[in-house]
């Protein structure tokens, strides 16, 4: 049960906190700030995969099973992204570099109309919500194997989800959506983390190999999001090399946290 509460904090509360930050600081927030926060969180996520999830997976199933899980995670998240591209009618541009965080999260072009902004925001919620499922699986499977590992993963995912909550909230606020509704929608997006955690707990109770496969698959999904989406697009959107440097700082902090 504790593992599920970890996922509630990492998913629902962290996403909601990000939405609340955007609601309170909307006039002063910027895409660059969101990109830098996402870059820092991407570094932390890289550390938790490389120094937390993968060593546990290798210990439980060996290198072959861990690599299989990594590949599985990458393939699954790519398929999910294709589904979201079709929903957002962006399949023709799904390999191009993007210039706003709305495009990065498969959102259709921003139009300052409340109804269209709400539709675009919902598409963004679907995209990030799908990305949250493997994160929840990592919390559930990791926590069922080692409660401390589950807590560590949850903390790092929470640090990642706060700027993602801000990224969801910003365009909705720009379109005139009520601040209370914006925070509620970001909270709703975090529920998929809990759903993933329930799956992770079920898998974790099957066998050590199942735990290892779920940990490495979740790691593969996270690495794909970090290196395939967040880092390259942060460089494009900020037009600065500061983003990868911030990612490196996140990796260093994540390494320290995984070894404490």
């Amino acid at each position: 049960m504790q593992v599920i509460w970890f996922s509630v904090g990492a998913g629902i509360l962290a996403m909601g906190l990000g939405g609340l930050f955007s609601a309170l600081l909307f006039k002063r927030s910027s895409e660059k700030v969101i990109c830098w926060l996402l870059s820092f969180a991407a570094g932390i996520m890289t550390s938790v995969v490389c120094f937390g999830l993968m060593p546990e997976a290798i210990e439980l199933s060996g290198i072959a099973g861990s690599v299989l899980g990594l590949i599985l995670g990458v393939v699954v998240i790519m398929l999910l992204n294709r589904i979201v591209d079709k929903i957002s009618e962006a399949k023709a541009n799904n390999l191009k570099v993007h210039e706003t965080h709305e495009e990065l999260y498969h959102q259709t072009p921003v139009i300052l109309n409340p109804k269209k902004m709400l539709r675009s925001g919902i598409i963004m919620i679907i995209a990030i919500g799908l990305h949250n499922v493997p994160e929840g699986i990592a919390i559930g499977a990791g926590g069922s194997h080692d409660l401390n590992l589950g807590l560590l993963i949850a903390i790092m995912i929470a640090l990642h989800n706060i700027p993602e909550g801000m990224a969801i909230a910003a365009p909705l606020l720009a379109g005139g959506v009520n601040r209370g509704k914006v925070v509620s929608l970001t909270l709703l997006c975090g529920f998929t983390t809990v759903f993933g955690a329930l799956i992770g707990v079920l898998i974790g109770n099957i066998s050590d190999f199942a735990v290892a496969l779920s940990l490495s698959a979740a790691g593969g999904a996270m690495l794909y999001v970090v290196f395939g989406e967040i880092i390259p697009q942060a460089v494009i959107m900020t037009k600065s090399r500061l983003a990868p440097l911030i990612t490196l700082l996140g990796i260093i902090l994540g390494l320290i946290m995984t070894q404490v």
Side-chain angles (χ1 to χ4, degrees):
M1 189 62 187
Q2 283 181 290
V3 175
I4 304 303
W5 284 115
F6 293 165
S7 68
V8 170
I12 299 172
L13 296 183
M15 295 289 293
L17 186 60
L20 182 62
F21 282 162
S22 279
L24 294 176
L25 306 173
F26 173 60
K27 303 253 183 212
R28 290 170 285 177
S29 64
S30 70
E31 286 187 346
K32 282 190 176 182
V33 171
I34 293 175
C35 281
W36 288 335
L37 288 171
L38 284 170
S39 296
F40 182 72
I44 290 176
M45 294 295 289
T46 301
S47 283
V48 76
V49 172
C50 295
F51 308 118
L53 299 185
M54 294 312 300
E56 289 288 339
I58 292 170
E59 181 180 341
L60 291 171
S61 69
I63 190 67
S66 300
V67 170
L68 175 63
L70 274 175
I71 295 171
L72 178 63
V74 171
V75 170
V76 168
I77 206 69
M78 288 178 70
L79 291 174
L80 291 176
N81 281 348
R82 295 287 290 184
I83 293 171
V84 176
D85 287 333
K86 288 184 178 181
I87 293 173
S88 61
E89 300 174 350
K91 58 179 179 293
N93 296 316
N94 64 348
L95 293 178
K96 76 182 184 80
V97 292
H98 307 303
E99 307 212 358
T100 66
H101 61 263
E102 292 87 359
E103 292 179 355
L104 170 59
Y105 286 110
H106 312 271
Q107 186 184 17
T108 52
V110 176
I111 302 172
L112 294 180
N113 176 291
K115 289 183 179 179
K116 292 183 179 180
M117 285 297 298
L118 180 58
R119 175 184 176 277
S120 297
I122 290 173
I123 291 172
M124 185 185 283
I125 288 170
I126 292 171
I128 295 180
L130 289 174
H131 289 170
N132 285 345
V133 173
E135 295 175 357
I137 291 174
I139 295 173
S144 66
H145 173 67
D146 181 343
L147 195 61
N148 289 331
L149 176 61
L151 177 60
L152 175 64
I153 296 169
I155 291 172
M156 295 200 174
I157 287 173
L159 293 174
H160 173 73
N161 280 343
I162 291 172
E164 284 200 337
M166 295 175 67
I168 291 174
L172 295 176
L173 290 165
V177 180
N178 179 274
R179 291 172 191 256
K181 284 185 178 180
V182 167
V183 175
S184 297
L185 287 169
T186 55
L187 286 167
L188 181 65
C189 185
F191 272 97
T192 54
T193 308
V194 181
F195 176 69
L198 290 170
I199 295 174
V201 170
L202 292 174
I203 294 173
N205 290 325
I206 296 174
S207 67
D208 285 348
F209 180 78
V211 173
L213 192 65
S214 59
L215 288 176
S216 55
M222 293 179 200
L223 290 178
Y224 177 84
V225 172
V226 167
F227 291 100
E229 299 185 5
I230 294 177
I231 295 176
Q233 301 308 329
V235 174
I236 296 296
M237 290 155 61
T238 61
K239 298 178 175 60
S240 168
R241 294 181 180 175
L242 184 59
L245 292 177
I246 292 175
T247 300
L248 289 173
L249 287 177
I251 291 174
I252 292 170
L253 177 62
L255 172 60
I256 294 170
M257 292 178 67
T258 57
Q259 302 306 311
V260 171

